Amino acid sequence: MPSWDLVQTEIKAAGSAHDILRRRYVKELSDYTGRNVILYYSGWLEKEALVRQGLTGTEVNDSDKNGFMATIHKLDRSKGLDLLLHTPGGNVAATESLVDYLRAMFGTNIRVIVPQLAMSAGTMIALSAQTIVLGKHSSLGPIDPQINGIAAHGIVEEFEKARAEIAADASAIPLWQPVIAKYPPTFVGECQKAIDWANAMVKTWLQTGMFAGRSDAAAAADAVVRELGDHALTLTHDRHINAERARALGLNVTMLEDDKELQERVLTVHHASTQTLGETAAIKIIENQDGVSFISAVNPRPVGP
């Protein structure tokens, strides 16, 4: 007969009704594809009000590596990986480290499935895969990095505009001084370095992954980076890039609607995941088809006088 402690451990492992259903659907998706499935879901949309108030942890960050280490640990890595990705993006260094780790575990046998949104650094992760699966409702975004929540391209453009106007007319100095004073002296240089770093990373990942073996791999990667990394072309960091546009860029995109059974299973996992994030304290879910999970939650505020 199991002890009280063992029963309690089993209850905690089973999780809430949200966890039980979501894990069942993730397992059914893996059974259908014959591949490993890892869910990487952020609750930045469901917890939008809290994010505006300063909630952190919904973005790609270094603590995510712990979740991926836990979920990958006992997987049969020869089956490859389907990564279900739903994220606003985040830290460039953390993104690089995460992609390096995934490739160390699975090589380039990685397919990224985007049921709704993979923006910014999320798009960078998607571009490191062999294939990206998008629905008609799915979107990628520009890969221009954010510095303290501000688009690095926007900061560089602002400084360049200030420099040009001041050079043309010194009387413009008082107008630009409050704008320039917002940033530390080295900030523009750091922004440019972040842009160059992100572009170089994505170009390398495309050449060694999605475009590997192509005679024009370097040129094709350059074209993608130029389109997705140039703020002057994408216009805004929040711009949504649909499947049709992604294909036009030369990316290896397959449509979720082409496989109705896959579509049904992916969207069921998506709905179960977003309901978990919307109806519980969870702000991020990293989980595999065996039910191994790494879930970050909102820390409750202490109650007291």
Short mmCIF file of all heavy atoms in Angstrom, two decimals, residues 237-289:
data_model
loop_
_atom_site.label_atom_id
_atom_site.label_comp_id
_atom_site.label_asym_id
_atom_site.label_seq_id
_atom_site.Cartn_x
_atom_site.Cartn_y
_atom_site.Cartn_z
N HIS A 237 8.78 46.92 -34.48
CA HIS A 237 9.18 45.67 -33.84
C HIS A 237 8.01 44.71 -33.70
O HIS A 237 8.19 43.50 -33.67
CB HIS A 237 9.78 45.98 -32.46
CG HIS A 237 10.33 44.77 -31.77
ND1 HIS A 237 11.51 44.17 -32.13
CD2 HIS A 237 9.83 44.04 -30.74
CE1 HIS A 237 11.74 43.13 -31.35
NE2 HIS A 237 10.73 43.03 -30.49
N ASP A 238 6.79 45.24 -33.62
CA ASP A 238 5.61 44.41 -33.40
C ASP A 238 4.96 43.93 -34.69
O ASP A 238 3.90 43.31 -34.64
CB ASP A 238 4.58 45.20 -32.59
CG ASP A 238 5.06 45.49 -31.18
OD1 ASP A 238 5.81 44.67 -30.63
OD2 ASP A 238 4.68 46.55 -30.64
N ARG A 239 5.57 44.19 -35.83
CA ARG A 239 4.95 43.79 -37.08
C ARG A 239 4.77 42.28 -37.16
O ARG A 239 5.68 41.51 -36.81
CB ARG A 239 5.79 44.27 -38.26
CG ARG A 239 5.11 44.03 -39.60
CD ARG A 239 5.81 44.74 -40.74
NE ARG A 239 5.06 44.65 -41.96
CZ ARG A 239 5.42 45.22 -43.10
NH1 ARG A 239 6.52 45.93 -43.16
NH2 ARG A 239 4.68 45.09 -44.18
N HIS A 240 3.60 41.84 -37.61
CA HIS A 240 3.31 40.42 -37.73
C HIS A 240 3.59 39.96 -39.16
O HIS A 240 3.12 40.58 -40.12
CB HIS A 240 1.85 40.14 -37.38
CG HIS A 240 1.55 40.27 -35.91
ND1 HIS A 240 2.26 41.09 -35.07
CD2 HIS A 240 0.62 39.65 -35.14
CE1 HIS A 240 1.77 40.98 -33.85
NE2 HIS A 240 0.78 40.11 -33.86
N ILE A 241 4.32 38.87 -39.29
CA ILE A 241 4.71 38.34 -40.59
C ILE A 241 4.02 36.99 -40.76
O ILE A 241 4.32 36.04 -40.02
CB ILE A 241 6.23 38.21 -40.70
CG1 ILE A 241 6.86 39.61 -40.62
CG2 ILE A 241 6.64 37.50 -41.98
CD1 ILE A 241 8.34 39.63 -40.37
N ASN A 242 3.10 36.89 -41.70
CA ASN A 242 2.31 35.68 -41.85
C ASN A 242 3.03 34.64 -42.69
O ASN A 242 4.14 34.87 -43.19
CB ASN A 242 0.92 36.00 -42.43
CG ASN A 242 1.00 36.61 -43.83
OD1 ASN A 242 1.99 36.46 -44.55
ND2 ASN A 242 -0.07 37.28 -44.24
N ALA A 243 2.40 33.49 -42.85
CA ALA A 243 3.03 32.36 -43.55
C ALA A 243 3.34 32.70 -45.00
O ALA A 243 4.41 32.33 -45.52
CB ALA A 243 2.12 31.14 -43.47
N GLU A 244 2.44 33.39 -45.65
CA GLU A 244 2.66 33.75 -47.05
C GLU A 244 3.90 34.63 -47.20
O GLU A 244 4.73 34.40 -48.09
CB GLU A 244 1.43 34.49 -47.59
CG GLU A 244 1.54 34.86 -49.07
CD GLU A 244 0.30 35.58 -49.58
OE1 GLU A 244 -0.65 35.76 -48.78
OE2 GLU A 244 0.28 35.96 -50.76
N ARG A 245 4.04 35.60 -46.31
CA ARG A 245 5.21 36.48 -46.37
C ARG A 245 6.48 35.71 -46.02
O ARG A 245 7.53 35.92 -46.64
CB ARG A 245 5.01 37.66 -45.41
CG ARG A 245 6.17 38.64 -45.38
CD ARG A 245 6.43 39.24 -46.74
NE ARG A 245 7.57 40.12 -46.74
CZ ARG A 245 8.34 40.34 -47.79
NH1 ARG A 245 8.08 39.71 -48.93
NH2 ARG A 245 9.36 41.17 -47.73
N ALA A 246 6.39 34.83 -45.03
CA ALA A 246 7.56 34.04 -44.63
C ALA A 246 8.04 33.15 -45.78
O ALA A 246 9.24 33.01 -46.03
CB ALA A 246 7.22 33.19 -43.41
N ARG A 247 7.09 32.57 -46.50
CA ARG A 247 7.46 31.76 -47.67
C ARG A 247 8.10 32.62 -48.75
O ARG A 247 9.05 32.19 -49.42
CB ARG A 247 6.22 31.06 -48.22
CG ARG A 247 5.86 29.77 -47.50
CD ARG A 247 4.61 29.15 -48.10
NE ARG A 247 4.52 27.74 -47.79
CZ ARG A 247 3.47 26.97 -48.09
NH1 ARG A 247 2.44 27.50 -48.74
NH2 ARG A 247 3.46 25.70 -47.79
N ALA A 248 7.57 33.82 -48.94
CA ALA A 248 8.12 34.72 -49.95
C ALA A 248 9.55 35.10 -49.64
O ALA A 248 10.34 35.41 -50.55
CB ALA A 248 7.25 35.97 -50.07
N LEU A 249 9.93 35.07 -48.36
CA LEU A 249 11.31 35.35 -47.96
C LEU A 249 12.24 34.18 -48.26
O LEU A 249 13.45 34.30 -48.12
CB LEU A 249 11.37 35.67 -46.47
CG LEU A 249 10.69 36.97 -46.03
CD1 LEU A 249 10.73 37.09 -44.51
CD2 LEU A 249 11.37 38.17 -46.66
N GLY A 250 11.67 33.04 -48.64
CA GLY A 250 12.48 31.86 -48.95
C GLY A 250 12.59 30.88 -47.79
O GLY A 250 13.35 29.92 -47.88
N LEU A 251 11.83 31.11 -46.72
CA LEU A 251 11.91 30.22 -45.57
C LEU A 251 11.20 28.91 -45.87
O LEU A 251 10.23 28.85 -46.64
CB LEU A 251 11.28 30.88 -44.35
CG LEU A 251 11.96 32.16 -43.86
CD1 LEU A 251 11.19 32.76 -42.69
CD2 LEU A 251 13.41 31.88 -43.45
N ASN A 252 11.67 27.85 -45.23
CA ASN A 252 11.08 26.52 -45.38
C ASN A 252 9.87 26.43 -44.46
O ASN A 252 9.98 26.04 -43.30
CB ASN A 252 12.11 25.44 -45.05
CG ASN A 252 11.59 24.04 -45.32
OD1 ASN A 252 10.54 23.86 -45.92
ND2 ASN A 252 12.33 23.04 -44.87
N VAL A 253 8.73 26.84 -44.98
CA VAL A 253 7.50 26.89 -44.20
C VAL A 253 6.51 25.87 -44.75
O VAL A 253 6.28 25.81 -45.96
CB VAL A 253 6.87 28.30 -44.27
CG1 VAL A 253 5.48 28.30 -43.65
CG2 VAL A 253 7.77 29.31 -43.57
N THR A 254 5.95 25.06 -43.86
CA THR A 254 4.84 24.19 -44.24
C THR A 254 3.59 24.67 -43.53
O THR A 254 3.66 25.22 -42.43
CB THR A 254 5.12 22.72 -43.88
OG1 THR A 254 5.31 22.61 -42.46
CG2 THR A 254 6.38 22.22 -44.58
N MET A 255 2.46 24.45 -44.16
CA MET A 255 1.20 24.96 -43.63
C MET A 255 0.55 23.93 -42.71
O MET A 255 0.45 22.76 -43.06
CB MET A 255 0.25 25.31 -44.76
CG MET A 255 0.73 26.45 -45.64
SD MET A 255 1.04 27.99 -44.73
CE MET A 255 -0.59 28.35 -44.06
N LEU A 256 0.13 24.38 -41.58
CA LEU A 256 -0.53 23.51 -40.62
C LEU A 256 -1.80 22.91 -41.22
O LEU A 256 -2.15 21.75 -40.95
CB LEU A 256 -0.87 24.32 -39.37
CG LEU A 256 -1.39 23.57 -38.14
CD1 LEU A 256 -0.40 22.54 -37.66
CD2 LEU A 256 -1.71 24.56 -37.02
N GLU A 257 -2.47 23.68 -42.06
CA GLU A 257 -3.73 23.22 -42.65
C GLU A 257 -3.54 22.08 -43.65
O GLU A 257 -4.53 21.42 -44.02
CB GLU A 257 -4.44 24.38 -43.35
CG GLU A 257 -5.00 25.44 -42.40
CD GLU A 257 -3.95 26.44 -41.91
OE1 GLU A 257 -2.79 26.35 -42.38
OE2 GLU A 257 -4.29 27.29 -41.07
N ASP A 258 -2.30 21.84 -44.09
CA ASP A 258 -2.05 20.76 -45.06
C ASP A 258 -2.25 19.38 -44.44
O ASP A 258 -2.43 18.39 -45.16
CB ASP A 258 -0.63 20.86 -45.62
CG ASP A 258 -0.46 22.06 -46.54
OD1 ASP A 258 -1.48 22.64 -46.95
OD2 ASP A 258 0.70 22.42 -46.83
N ASP A 259 -2.17 19.28 -43.13
CA ASP A 259 -2.38 18.01 -42.42
C ASP A 259 -3.46 18.27 -41.37
O ASP A 259 -3.19 18.79 -40.30
CB ASP A 259 -1.07 17.56 -41.76
CG ASP A 259 -1.17 16.20 -41.08
OD1 ASP A 259 -2.29 15.81 -40.69
OD2 ASP A 259 -0.12 15.55 -40.89
N LYS A 260 -4.69 17.92 -41.70
CA LYS A 260 -5.82 18.25 -40.84
C LYS A 260 -5.71 17.61 -39.46
O LYS A 260 -6.11 18.21 -38.46
CB LYS A 260 -7.14 17.83 -41.51
CG LYS A 260 -7.43 18.55 -42.81
CD LYS A 260 -7.52 20.07 -42.60
CE LYS A 260 -7.87 20.79 -43.90
NZ LYS A 260 -7.87 22.27 -43.72
N GLU A 261 -5.17 16.40 -39.42
CA GLU A 261 -5.03 15.73 -38.12
C GLU A 261 -3.99 16.42 -37.26
O GLU A 261 -4.20 16.64 -36.06
CB GLU A 261 -4.63 14.26 -38.34
CG GLU A 261 -4.61 13.42 -37.07
CD GLU A 261 -5.99 13.23 -36.46
OE1 GLU A 261 -7.00 13.35 -37.19
OE2 GLU A 261 -6.05 12.98 -35.24
N LEU A 262 -2.87 16.81 -37.88
CA LEU A 262 -1.85 17.56 -37.16
C LEU A 262 -2.42 18.89 -36.68
O LEU A 262 -2.19 19.30 -35.54
CB LEU A 262 -0.64 17.79 -38.06
CG LEU A 262 0.51 18.61 -37.43
CD1 LEU A 262 1.14 17.86 -36.27
CD2 LEU A 262 1.58 18.96 -38.48
N GLN A 263 -3.15 19.56 -37.55
CA GLN A 263 -3.75 20.85 -37.19
C GLN A 263 -4.65 20.70 -35.96
O GLN A 263 -4.58 21.50 -35.02
CB GLN A 263 -4.57 21.39 -38.36
CG GLN A 263 -5.26 22.71 -38.07
CD GLN A 263 -6.21 23.13 -39.18
OE1 GLN A 263 -6.75 22.27 -39.89
NE2 GLN A 263 -6.41 24.42 -39.35
N GLU A 264 -5.48 19.67 -35.97
CA GLU A 264 -6.40 19.45 -34.86
C GLU A 264 -5.65 19.23 -33.55
O GLU A 264 -5.98 19.82 -32.52
CB GLU A 264 -7.28 18.23 -35.16
CG GLU A 264 -8.29 17.90 -34.09
CD GLU A 264 -9.46 18.87 -34.05
OE1 GLU A 264 -9.68 19.58 -35.05
OE2 GLU A 264 -10.13 18.92 -33.01
N ARG A 265 -4.59 18.44 -33.61
CA ARG A 265 -3.85 18.11 -32.39
C ARG A 265 -3.03 19.30 -31.89
O ARG A 265 -2.97 19.56 -30.69
CB ARG A 265 -2.96 16.89 -32.64
CG ARG A 265 -3.77 15.62 -32.90
CD ARG A 265 -2.90 14.41 -33.17
NE ARG A 265 -3.70 13.25 -33.54
CZ ARG A 265 -4.29 12.44 -32.67
NH1 ARG A 265 -4.15 12.67 -31.38
NH2 ARG A 265 -4.99 11.40 -33.08
N VAL A 266 -2.42 20.02 -32.81
CA VAL A 266 -1.63 21.20 -32.41
C VAL A 266 -2.52 22.27 -31.79
O VAL A 266 -2.19 22.84 -30.74
CB VAL A 266 -0.86 21.77 -33.63
CG1 VAL A 266 -0.33 23.17 -33.32
CG2 VAL A 266 0.29 20.85 -34.01
N LEU A 267 -3.64 22.54 -32.41
CA LEU A 267 -4.52 23.59 -31.89
C LEU A 267 -5.17 23.18 -30.57
O LEU A 267 -5.43 24.04 -29.72
CB LEU A 267 -5.58 23.96 -32.93
CG LEU A 267 -5.04 24.65 -34.18
CD1 LEU A 267 -6.17 25.03 -35.12
CD2 LEU A 267 -4.22 25.89 -33.83
N THR A 268 -5.39 21.90 -30.37
CA THR A 268 -5.91 21.44 -29.09
C THR A 268 -4.88 21.69 -27.99
O THR A 268 -5.23 22.17 -26.89
CB THR A 268 -6.28 19.95 -29.15
OG1 THR A 268 -7.27 19.74 -30.16
CG2 THR A 268 -6.82 19.46 -27.82
N VAL A 269 -3.61 21.39 -28.27
CA VAL A 269 -2.55 21.68 -27.30
C VAL A 269 -2.47 23.18 -27.06
O VAL A 269 -2.32 23.63 -25.91
CB VAL A 269 -1.19 21.15 -27.81
CG1 VAL A 269 -0.05 21.64 -26.91
CG2 VAL A 269 -1.19 19.63 -27.84
N HIS A 270 -2.57 23.96 -28.12
CA HIS A 270 -2.52 25.42 -27.99
C HIS A 270 -3.64 25.93 -27.09
O HIS A 270 -3.40 26.75 -26.18
CB HIS A 270 -2.62 26.06 -29.37
CG HIS A 270 -2.72 27.54 -29.37
ND1 HIS A 270 -1.67 28.36 -28.98
CD2 HIS A 270 -3.75 28.39 -29.69
CE1 HIS A 270 -2.04 29.63 -29.08
NE2 HIS A 270 -3.29 29.66 -29.50
N HIS A 271 -4.84 25.47 -27.32
CA HIS A 271 -5.97 25.94 -26.52
C HIS A 271 -5.83 25.52 -25.06
O HIS A 271 -6.10 26.32 -24.14
CB HIS A 271 -7.28 25.39 -27.10
CG HIS A 271 -7.59 25.90 -28.47
ND1 HIS A 271 -8.28 25.17 -29.41
CD2 HIS A 271 -7.25 27.07 -29.09
CE1 HIS A 271 -8.39 25.87 -30.52
NE2 HIS A 271 -7.77 27.02 -30.35
N ALA A 272 -5.38 24.29 -24.83
CA ALA A 272 -5.18 23.82 -23.46
C ALA A 272 -4.10 24.63 -22.76
O ALA A 272 -4.21 24.93 -21.56
CB ALA A 272 -4.82 22.34 -23.47
N SER A 273 -3.06 25.01 -23.49
CA SER A 273 -1.95 25.76 -22.91
C SER A 273 -2.35 27.19 -22.59
O SER A 273 -2.03 27.71 -21.51
CB SER A 273 -0.76 25.75 -23.87
OG SER A 273 -0.35 24.43 -24.15
N THR A 274 -3.04 27.84 -23.52
CA THR A 274 -3.43 29.23 -23.26
C THR A 274 -4.49 29.31 -22.16
O THR A 274 -4.51 30.27 -21.39
CB THR A 274 -3.95 29.90 -24.54
OG1 THR A 274 -5.01 29.13 -25.11
CG2 THR A 274 -2.83 30.04 -25.57
N GLN A 275 -5.34 28.27 -22.05
CA GLN A 275 -6.29 28.26 -20.95
C GLN A 275 -5.57 28.08 -19.62
O GLN A 275 -5.93 28.71 -18.61
CB GLN A 275 -7.33 27.16 -21.15
CG GLN A 275 -8.34 27.49 -22.23
CD GLN A 275 -9.44 26.47 -22.33
OE1 GLN A 275 -9.98 26.02 -21.33
NE2 GLN A 275 -9.80 26.09 -23.55
N THR A 276 -4.53 27.25 -19.60
CA THR A 276 -3.74 27.10 -18.38
C THR A 276 -3.14 28.44 -17.97
O THR A 276 -3.21 28.85 -16.80
CB THR A 276 -2.61 26.08 -18.59
OG1 THR A 276 -3.15 24.82 -18.96
CG2 THR A 276 -1.80 25.90 -17.31
N LEU A 277 -2.56 29.13 -18.93
CA LEU A 277 -1.92 30.42 -18.64
C LEU A 277 -2.93 31.49 -18.26
O LEU A 277 -2.62 32.39 -17.47
CB LEU A 277 -1.10 30.87 -19.86
CG LEU A 277 0.11 29.99 -20.19
CD1 LEU A 277 0.61 30.27 -21.61
CD2 LEU A 277 1.23 30.20 -19.19
N GLY A 278 -4.13 31.40 -18.79
CA GLY A 278 -5.14 32.40 -18.50
C GLY A 278 -5.90 32.16 -17.21
O GLY A 278 -6.39 33.11 -16.59
N GLU A 279 -5.98 30.90 -16.79
CA GLU A 279 -6.84 30.56 -15.66
C GLU A 279 -6.08 30.10 -14.41
O GLU A 279 -6.70 29.78 -13.40
CB GLU A 279 -7.83 29.47 -16.10
CG GLU A 279 -8.74 29.93 -17.23
CD GLU A 279 -9.58 28.81 -17.83
OE1 GLU A 279 -9.56 27.69 -17.26
OE2 GLU A 279 -10.23 29.04 -18.86
N THR A 280 -4.77 30.06 -14.49
CA THR A 280 -3.95 29.69 -13.34
C THR A 280 -2.87 30.74 -13.13
O THR A 280 -2.79 31.72 -13.87
CB THR A 280 -3.28 28.31 -13.54
OG1 THR A 280 -2.21 28.44 -14.50
CG2 THR A 280 -4.27 27.27 -14.03
N ALA A 281 -2.01 30.52 -12.13
CA ALA A 281 -0.92 31.46 -11.85
C ALA A 281 0.27 31.27 -12.78
O ALA A 281 1.24 32.03 -12.71
CB ALA A 281 -0.47 31.31 -10.39
N ALA A 282 0.22 30.26 -13.65
CA ALA A 282 1.36 29.97 -14.53
C ALA A 282 1.63 31.13 -15.48
O ALA A 282 0.70 31.73 -16.04
CB ALA A 282 1.09 28.70 -15.33
N ILE A 283 2.92 31.46 -15.67
CA ILE A 283 3.30 32.48 -16.65
C ILE A 283 4.16 31.90 -17.77
O ILE A 283 4.33 32.54 -18.80
CB ILE A 283 4.05 33.65 -15.98
CG1 ILE A 283 5.35 33.18 -15.30
CG2 ILE A 283 3.15 34.38 -15.01
CD1 ILE A 283 6.21 34.31 -14.78
N LYS A 284 4.67 30.69 -17.57
CA LYS A 284 5.46 30.03 -18.63
C LYS A 284 5.42 28.53 -18.40
O LYS A 284 5.51 28.06 -17.27
CB LYS A 284 6.90 30.53 -18.65
CG LYS A 284 7.71 29.98 -19.84
CD LYS A 284 9.13 30.50 -19.81
CE LYS A 284 9.19 31.96 -20.19
NZ LYS A 284 10.56 32.51 -20.10
N ILE A 285 5.26 27.79 -19.51
CA ILE A 285 5.22 26.33 -19.45
C ILE A 285 6.26 25.77 -20.39
O ILE A 285 6.28 26.09 -21.58
CB ILE A 285 3.84 25.79 -19.87
CG1 ILE A 285 2.72 26.42 -19.04
CG2 ILE A 285 3.80 24.27 -19.76
CD1 ILE A 285 1.33 26.13 -19.59
N ILE A 286 7.14 24.92 -19.86
CA ILE A 286 8.06 24.13 -20.67
C ILE A 286 7.76 22.68 -20.30
O ILE A 286 7.90 22.28 -19.14
CB ILE A 286 9.54 24.48 -20.38
CG1 ILE A 286 9.79 25.97 -20.57
CG2 ILE A 286 10.47 23.66 -21.30
CD1 ILE A 286 11.18 26.44 -20.16
N GLU A 287 7.36 21.87 -21.28
CA GLU A 287 6.81 20.55 -20.95
C GLU A 287 7.00 19.59 -22.12
O GLU A 287 6.86 19.99 -23.28
CB GLU A 287 5.32 20.71 -20.63
CG GLU A 287 4.59 19.47 -20.18
CD GLU A 287 3.22 19.84 -19.66
OE1 GLU A 287 2.34 20.18 -20.49
OE2 GLU A 287 3.02 19.83 -18.43
N ASN A 288 7.30 18.32 -21.81
CA ASN A 288 7.44 17.33 -22.88
C ASN A 288 6.27 16.35 -22.90
O ASN A 288 5.36 16.43 -22.07
CB ASN A 288 8.78 16.60 -22.78
CG ASN A 288 8.87 15.66 -21.58
OD1 ASN A 288 7.87 15.29 -20.95
ND2 ASN A 288 10.09 15.26 -21.25
N GLN A 289 6.31 15.42 -23.86
CA GLN A 289 5.18 14.51 -24.04
C GLN A 289 5.06 13.48 -22.93
O GLN A 289 4.04 12.79 -22.81
CB GLN A 289 5.31 13.78 -25.39
CG GLN A 289 6.38 12.69 -25.44
CD GLN A 289 7.73 13.21 -25.90
OE1 GLN A 289 7.93 14.42 -25.99
NE2 GLN A 289 8.64 12.30 -26.21
#
